[in-house]
Amino acid sequence: MPFHLQTSHYSSELPGDKDLSNNSRQVPEAAYSYVKPVELKNAQIVHVSKEVADLLSIQPDDTRTESFLKMVSGQPTAMISETFAMNYGGHQFGHWAGQLGDGRAINIGQIPTEKGVFQLQLKGAGPTPYSRRGDGFAVLRSSIREHLCSEAMYHLGVPTTRSLSLVLSGEDVMRDMFYDGNQKDEPGAVVCRVAPSFVRFGNYQLAAANGNLKLLQQLTDYTIQHHFPEINTTGKQKYLDFFQQVADTTLDLMIHWQRVGFVHGVMNTDNMSILGITIDYGPYGWLEDYNANWTPNTTDNQHKRYAYGAQPEIALWNLWQLANALFPLVDDSAGLEAILDSYKTKFPKKHLDMMREKLGLQTAQDADADIVEKLMAVFPLHEVDMTLFYRELAHITHTTNTGQAFEIIQPAVYHPDQMPETVSDQWKNWLSLYIDRLGGESAFAKARLPLMQRTNPKFVLRNYMAQLAITDAETGDYTLLNELHELLKNPYGEQPSMQRWYAKRPEWARNSPGSWQLSCSS
């Protein structure tokens, strides 16, 4: 093969646990533990992302070889000598959970490319010392969701881990999908994740919580050397500069999530990437009707800690926890607090700039914040699909009258015949305000449509779409999986042949398991 899987510099430069037993245990002194994936003798490839393969210089013919199958399913004969699971802790739903770690993710090495060094990680390849009460495997339904969403997010322009391949393990896995006591066997699967790094906030938190300041400094220095080489300061300033960059990239990620209507669902600190990329696709979802309090995670139904509208504030809360972990290296609470305050200062401005782009506004006016605020107030009054609304809004111009504008947005409205007159009047008031605002930018009218169409996706991976692909795949039919993968590579394009996916959520999916909300069972 022209590509070469190298030993990861993470395992070669940081202290590791060399006990290969894979027994669940506490590992306080190590950044990772060496493990071996389970041998899956009946594994078969379901799908390979050509774009990720190209990124890694893996040719199409290579992906059809036995060697490739063995690599992406974790077979020992294809593995380099050092495969490992990472050790980290985290706050889960606001509570410190102690050691967590890669319970079913195994890092198999890295591939250098022209665009940098990329780590490869198998999710669902067997138990690790961090599996706790889990078996280390993953099921097909959650693996399809991660494989599709990783690539969908990339093509939306949202920083994310990637997915090289989806493999059937050839083994059944027992899961209780709804946590209601009804366990059943499901087909197992393995996803090959790809990212520059899989280091999370929780890696630093665990070292600090264990009082292992040597490991904390080693891990932070390692991260700066390999992933923030532009930082050339020394001493505590180096660590402050590092934290500032983490805060900035985390803020940018939240802006992206808000822009496309993505809800992560499990923003625990162990699911926050130090690089500001989306990581760990569990019970995620996209807003259908605009509802800032919606969460895709059934576990979060009561408190809605990780709802769409809460995500920016939760990201800041998570950054506070990271700041606490890094404090022993900095010993400067004022410096860390200033960086956290900068997040609070920058977010409203960046959010308003993003909303201007979504609305096609090409100049900045003081009144824009009021226009956005009024839109956010009228959105929840009746179900209006967020994705469709912004795409349809692009067809309104400064010469459109209010009645015509209201008709233009109707494809985004759920049950328009049921919209109360008082609500339709509020929508017309907002549309009138918006059209007046466009009148002040008539000189830029031609540029407005392409601006809105490259900011607002036409197609997103709605949960019901993923569920349809899962249902077919569980019968051995991957046609829809392939179709959705192709669709989501061009989310901003018109794609007339794919028009059936430009539609509101069907009524059958409104409360259907897997098509609206999901549990963490995977």
Side-chain angles (χ1 to χ4, degrees), residues 236-237 239-241 243-244 247 320 323 327 330-343:
K236 75 173 186 179
Q237 189 59 46
Y239 303 118
L240 286 170
D241 291 344
F243 184 59
Q244 181 71 70
W320 271 99
F327 178 78
V330 177
D331 194 23
D332 180 2
S333 57
L336 291 168
E337 287 176 11
I339 293 170
L340 293 164
D341 287 341
S342 75
Y343 178 104

Side-chain angles (χ1 to χ4, degrees), residues 168-189:
L168 269 178
S169 68
E171 305 287 342
D172 283 342
V173 179
M174 183 172 286
R175 289 290 183 268
D176 183 351
M177 181 175 177
F178 305 114
Y179 297 135
D180 59 4
N182 293 312
Q183 293 187 334
K184 70 171 187 176
D185 284 336
E186 299 185 50

Side-chain angles (χ1 to χ4, degrees), residues 340-365:
L340 293 164
D341 287 341
S342 75
Y343 178 104
K344 290 187 279 189
T345 301
K346 292 174 183 176
F347 184 84
K349 182 182 184 304
K350 289 203 170 196
H351 186 267
L352 181 57
D353 288 343
M354 177 270 288
M355 288 301 300
R356 285 193 179 104
E357 292 188 350
K358 286 187 75 65
L359 295 172
L361 303 178
Q362 297 163 82
T363 61
Q365 294 187 11

Side-chain angles (χ1 to χ4, degrees), residues 3-34:
F3 69 93
H4 177 54
L5 191 64
Q6 300 178 343
T7 298
S8 171
H9 46 54
Y10 190 88
S11 61
S12 63
E13 297 178 21
L14 292 169
D17 163 34
K18 298 186 178 180
D19 180 349
L20 293 175
S21 67
N22 286 17
N23 294 328
S24 293
R25 59 186 182 274
Q26 292 293 306
V27 187
E29 302 298 325
Y32 60 89
S33 293
Y34 291 112

